[in-house]
Amino acid sequence: MRMVPPPARLSAPPDWPAVERSLDSALPGDYKDLVDRYGPGKFDDFLALLAPGHPVARLDLARGVAEAAEVLRAYASSGEALPAPVDGLTAVALTDNGDTVYWVRDPGDAPDRWRIAVNGARDFDEWHLFDGCLAHFLVDVLNREAVVTAFPDDFPYPGAAPTFTSHDYPK
């Protein structure tokens, strides 16, 4: 929050128990905190968290999770190597280039211990694994302490403080 101050929220935060019931899964606390504080939007006009009720349909959490799972099933059925079984990967963010950030859901019953995996849209067999939670991943990437080769060299913007652009709308 010090690095990228959150915007004022215009809409109410999601009903997390209802969201988790609809996904049939608990979600990591850091993710819920990020969505509660920032709402829907993008970091450095490039990386968008999937969020329940996102005003951009492809960035709605339920839709994004379902669409990414279909892509993973197709790749797994064609013999592509994944860093975890299809049901052990859940999409959590997308980039403007079509890259997908996933939770590696291991252990399945401990979402606050899930790690992060990034898959590039242009090179599906290349995976970047991050041994930490989503919040730590964002901090390290936005500070340029973690380099994700699938992301362009100009993300985050060099020589500028990271930003967050809100897509929040009043409800």
Side-chain angles (χ1 to χ4, degrees):
M1 288 180 25
R2 285 187 303 267
M3 181 177 32
V4 184
R9 281 300 306 259
L10 300 174
S11 63
D15 174 353
W16 290 114
V19 170
E20 291 173 323
R21 280 191 304 276
S22 74
L23 294 172
D24 196 28
S25 175
L27 295 170
D30 69 313
Y31 166 75
K32 293 186 282 188
D33 288 343
L34 283 164
V35 172
D36 284 350
R37 293 179 192 276
Y38 288 85
K42 288 183 186 177
F43 289 93
D44 266 14
D45 293 319
F46 181 71
L47 178 66
L49 296 182
L50 299 177
H54 199 296
V56 177
R58 75 178 194 90
L59 298 175
D60 175 71
L61 180 64
R63 180 175 171 180
V65 165
E67 289 177 359
E70 285 296 317
V71 169
L72 289 172
R73 280 192 282 280
Y75 280 112
S77 70
S78 70
E80 293 285 346
L82 303 175
V86 171
D87 64 353
L89 294 168
T90 299
V92 65
L94 300 174
T95 71
D96 282 357
N97 288 351
D99 313 311
T100 305
V101 179
Y102 295 90
W103 282 303
V104 179
R105 297 168 41 131
D106 180 34
D109 62 348
D112 290 330
R113 292 180 36 212
W114 294 350
R115 295 170 294 129
I116 299 297
V118 180
N119 183 242
R122 293 178 177 91
D123 192 3
F124 193 81
D125 62 348
E126 182 180 332
W127 288 85
H128 174 89
L129 299 175
F130 181 82
D131 193 23
C133 67
L134 180 62
H136 291 153
F137 171 78
L138 289 172
V139 167
D140 283 3
V141 167
L142 293 172
N143 273 328
R144 293 184 167 269
E145 292 173 10
V147 175
V148 178
T149 56
F151 294 166
D153 292 340
D154 64 351
F155 174 77
Y157 294 128
T163 62
F164 182 83
T165 304
S166 177
H167 293 146
D168 204 4
Y169 299 102
K171 294 207 175 193

